[in-house]
Amino acid sequence: MIKVKSPAKINLYLNIISKLESGYHEIDSAFQLIDIYDDLIFEKSSGGIQLDCDLDIETHENIVYKAALLLNEQSNKDNSIRIKLHKNIPTGSGLGGGSSNAASTLVTLNKLWDINLNKSELMVLGTKLGADVPFFINGNNAYVSGIGEKLINKKMETANYLIIYPNIHCSSAEMYRKFDLENTPSKDEQNSFWNIYKSLNKEIYEFVNEFKDDLNICLSGSGSSMFVRYKSQEELDKILKIIPFNWRFFLTKPLQYAPLTMKL
């Protein structure tokens, strides 16, 4: 049995450069790993690929299951595994939980099943599951370009982050679709999705407009999580007082490496 912690990330900034003929978008971003984790347990089995997950989603639609199937296709034998996934990273939050889970699955099963793909080969395979998957396989903070597959390692940030999650699910595909239809995309230097994000509902619009400049609120990915850097408990206490009662928040610290990179 192997237990793996699958970390989240935030986008320190995200600029959408253009839409490509492939349908993907060229981006310019910086990804920082943070210490919110999903938990994955891999156990030997003889019953094919099995997945237990506390999400209300069909197994065949879960990216962890898709990752296991994809890697099994690289093998000369029909492998089996039982995977248990406990989610702590909210889905549709812009924190990369699904991509991180897929990356953790590819790296772990590559070892357990003795498939022996190198990191570069795993990263290429990961692009078939999602644009952020190669980043998590690489396991280092990075400047990111292309569709997410071009990575330049960067140093860890030193700030503490308050993650603000307004309890809504943002589909990346839908947010990009809205971006393509938007006549006046956001000129905000931190994130190209700000205009679209603020239009999601009245509560988000009012919160962002009232506090964005004073607190330097940032948006991660295509939403729905925002984050604020803080330096002291006093500063943190002031921010916590203004978060709507029906929203969630996480106190996080930056990571230099994904735990899987260090363990395996």
Side-chain angles (χ1 to χ4, degrees), residues 68-173:
L69 286 180
L70 182 63
L71 190 67
N72 191 43
E73 293 173 0
Q74 313 303 308
S75 175
N76 294 322
K77 56 184 179 179
D78 191 17
N79 295 290
S80 294
I81 196 73
R82 184 177 185 88
I83 307 171
K84 296 179 182 179
L85 170 61
H86 174 64
K87 293 291 293 182
N88 296 303
I89 305 168
T91 59
S93 62
L95 299 177
S99 295
S100 181
N101 299 162
S104 295
T105 300
L106 291 177
V107 172
T108 302
L109 294 184
N110 184 55
K111 182 183 177 87
L112 285 179
W113 289 344
D114 294 321
I115 297 177
N116 298 319
L117 297 180
N118 62 38
K119 180 183 284 189
S120 295
E121 291 170 328
L122 282 175
M123 289 170 69
V124 170
L125 195 64
T127 60
K128 297 181 179 181
L129 297 165
D132 291 350
V133 177
F135 162 75
F136 285 104
I137 293 172
N138 189 49
N140 292 275
N141 302 303
Y143 296 105
V144 182
S145 58
I147 64 169
E149 84 287 8
K150 298 178 181 177
L151 307 171
I152 298 175
N153 290 351
K154 69 179 292 295
K155 291 183 178 180
M156 179 184 73
E157 299 288 301
T158 58
N160 294 319
Y161 298 100
L162 171 66
I163 308 297
I164 303 171
Y165 174 60
N167 274 328
I168 65 169
H169 180 283
C170 278
S171 161
S172 293

Side-chain angles (χ1 to χ4, degrees), residues 26-42:
E26 182 183 2
I27 65 168
D28 171 34
S29 189
F31 288 7
Q32 170 63 55
L33 295 160
I34 56 173
D35 63 347
I36 308 175
Y37 304 100
D38 289 336
D39 297 311
L40 285 157
I41 297 176
F42 299 85

Side-chain angles (χ1 to χ4, degrees), residues 9-14 32 34 92-96 163 170 190-191 193-194 197 218-227:
K9 60 83 182 164
I10 54 175
N11 297 73
L12 300 177
Y13 63 87
L14 172 59
Q32 170 63 55
I34 56 173
S93 62
L95 299 177
I163 308 297
C170 278
Q190 193 271 322
N191 195 307
F193 283 108
W194 264 120
Y197 177 74
C218 299
L219 181 64
S220 184
S222 55
S224 63
S225 289
M226 298 168 278
F227 63 92

